[in-house]
Amino acid sequence: MDFKIAVIPGDGIGPEIMTETLKVLDKVGEKYGHNFNYTTVLAGGAAIDATGACLPQETLDVCKASDAVMLGAVGGPKWDNMPGGERPERALLGLRKELGLFANLRPAMVFDQLADASPLKPEIIDGGLDIVIVRELTGGIYFGERGTEAGTPEEGTVAWDIEKYSEMEIKRIAKVAFDMAMKRGKKVTSVDKANVLDSSRLWRKTVAEVAKDYPEVELDNFYVDNAAMQLVRGPKQFDVIVTSNIFGDILSDEASQITGSIGMLPSASLGEGNFGMYEPVHGSAPDIAGQNIANPIATILSAAMMLRYTLGLGKEADAIEKAVSDFLDAGYRTPDICGPAARAAGQYKTTSETGDLIAGLI
Ligand code: IPM
Ligand code: MG
């Protein structure tokens, strides 16, 4: 089949990891008889440099006319203080909002072969760790009313951002989480701050209503501070975590770190229907850009998520995941997860070697 994919390489290591990902996708196309037609477009710092705007209209138009979007990473210190306040990160928020991508799936799993990399004690992650954070992505404090104004002379300047959720927004993200749980361990943990916030009380009540349609799924409610603690104390108690935009931002960084290999973690941002945007959990890592030492696997696994969730190509997605697992089984290690012993044993693989090897294993 023929598929249209909008490709946003972005900034920092984005272009390098995207090159390797397209290499792997092309191999999948060749082997399974699909045509992936890429249109490369600009967003983030690269777009600011070329057009002055972080998210040109053309980029949105191409994304909307595509089946899916693959994104590398955006941002970097170069664009931190742009005149007019243009920031690469705004491109991400704009893409999410304009494309209606309200559901962000962020898996945090420990690869058996990399269990040593986790900073947690072996007994805490023994038997594997496999969590999916379902983060609401187009609502809450990220998109609420905000402002900055002069306060009283004693106060100086005052600024505020409003956390606001509707039942509609909570219901649709809760459904994504329960549907996901049905395909996994049948357990949902909803995370909020209902002991303090009205928006969280509505969140908790609405999630409980959705849960009635899923009698087989166990629902727990955690306050966010406790959830942050439990993620370190006993992460295996979690299967699917569903939470708001801001709590999901924070908890997904924490969850990725306990796996010890953030360079391996993919993510999907989905709307109604099948459309989605796929990107690694990690950022643009400008400090290591252009050195052929970035780990492309998170982006390669994001492409697998795209095949599975948007393009309906489950078998092909499995093939990518299997190739990554075979790469690790063969002892190969990307620079971020390659200790001195593995280095001495010749297991070290650069960005481009990693792409070649994984493509070859498809
Ligand atoms: C993320 C990032 C973004 C977010 C930033 C770059 C705007 O941290 O995708 O988690 O806060 O959502
Ligand atoms: Mg974040």
Side-chain angles (χ1 to χ4, degrees):
M1 280 175 70
D2 269 33
F3 299 100
K4 277 196 233 159
I5 300 171
V7 175
I8 305 177
D11 309 316
I13 58 171
E16 303 163 61
I17 56 183
M18 191 57 75
T19 300
E20 303 315 312
T21 300
L22 301 189
K23 217 183 246 179
V24 174
L25 268 178
D26 284 339
K27 195 64 197 285
V28 168
E30 202 181 290
K31 172 139 186 218
Y32 293 88
H34 305 300
N35 260 320
F36 300 114
N37 299 302
Y38 311 117
T39 309
T40 301
V41 281
L42 295 172
I48 296 179
D49 287 348
T51 71
C54 67
L55 184 58
Q57 186 60 40
E58 191 211 340
T59 297
L60 279 174
D61 293 343
V62 168
C63 291
K64 285 181 183 165
S66 301
D67 296 307
V69 182
M70 281 294 314
L71 183 131
V74 296
K78 180 176 172 198
W79 304 282
D80 272 350
N81 295 301
M82 298 302 288
E86 195 69 354
R87 294 187 65 93
E89 291 84 356
R90 281 186 45 210
L92 268 185
L93 302 178
L95 283 163
R96 291 169 182 171
K97 195 66 169 181
E98 290 291 321
L99 302 174
L101 306 172
F102 66 86
N104 185 212
L105 312 184
R106 297 191 167 181
M109 63 270 187
V110 169
F111 293 78
D112 293 344
Q113 302 95 329
L114 305 177
D116 285 357
S118 170
L120 299 184
K121 291 208 178 81
E123 58 268 31
I124 294 181
I125 54 158
D126 233 13
L129 178 69
D130 184 6
I131 301 171
V132 179
I133 296 188
V134 178
R135 168 188 176 192
E136 200 290 325
L137 203 58
T138 52
I141 198 166
Y142 273 62
F143 294 96
E145 204 189 302
R146 60 169 51 102
T148 304
E149 64 185 24
T152 62
E154 304 86 77
E155 287 172 325
T157 306
V158 174
W160 75 94
D161 302 86
I162 292 180
E163 170 86 349
K164 188 171 182 178
Y165 269 112
S166 69
E167 279 181 280
M168 180 278 284
E169 289 173 307
I170 302 166
K171 262 187 202 148
R172 69 180 180 183
I173 193 70
K175 279 188 195 145
V176 171
F178 282 97
D179 286 338
M180 177 72 50
M182 284 300 287
K183 294 186 220 143
R184 296 171 42 99
K186 301 202 171 149
K187 184 170 174 189
V188 169
T189 306
S190 174
V191 174
D192 60 41
K193 190 71 185 174
N195 48 348
V196 179
L197 307 176
D198 260 6
S199 52
S200 278
R201 285 188 273 273
L202 181 67
W203 180 280
R204 192 172 281 221
K205 177 166 160 275
T206 309
V207 171
E209 275 159 25
V210 173
K212 290 185 191 144
D213 296 334
Y214 299 84
E216 284 175 58
V217 179
E218 183 195 335
L219 169 65
D220 269 345
N221 295 285
F222 278 34
Y223 298 134
V224 63
D225 48 350
N226 185 34
M229 181 176 77
Q230 296 297 337
L231 265 173
V232 173
R233 205 182 78 102
K236 281 198 297 185
Q237 66 187 294
F238 298 109
D239 177 27
V240 175
I241 293 176
V242 62
T243 192
S244 64
N245 204 343
I246 184 84
F247 294 160
D249 178 46
I250 299 164
L251 292 181
S252 63
D253 261 25
E254 186 188 1
S256 67
Q257 200 54 44
I258 63 177
T259 71
S261 44
I262 187 174
M264 307 286 295
L265 301 177
S267 81
S269 302
L270 308 173
E272 303 287 1
N274 292 330
F275 185 82
M277 181 166 87
Y278 297 84
E279 60 184 303
V281 162
H282 62 74
S284 61
D287 51 324
I288 60 161
Q291 299 174 40
N292 203 21
I293 59 172
N295 183 352
I297 295 181
T299 317
I300 292 171
L301 290 174
S302 301
M305 288 184 97
M306 173 185 78
L307 297 179
R308 180 173 295 123
Y309 292 120
T310 291
L311 306 183
L313 304 176
K315 187 167 80 250
E316 290 82 341
D318 292 345
I320 294 187
E321 286 164 1
K322 169 93 175 22
V324 168
S325 186
D326 289 347
F327 171 90
L328 296 173
D329 281 341
Y332 302 132
R333 296 291 180 267
T334 47
D336 55 323
I337 47 171
C338 193
R343 230 169 253 256
Q347 294 163 290
Y348 178 98
K349 296 295 160 198
T350 63
T351 309
S352 52
E353 287 168 342
T354 299
D356 288 342
L357 282 162
I358 294 173
L361 287 162
I362 293 288

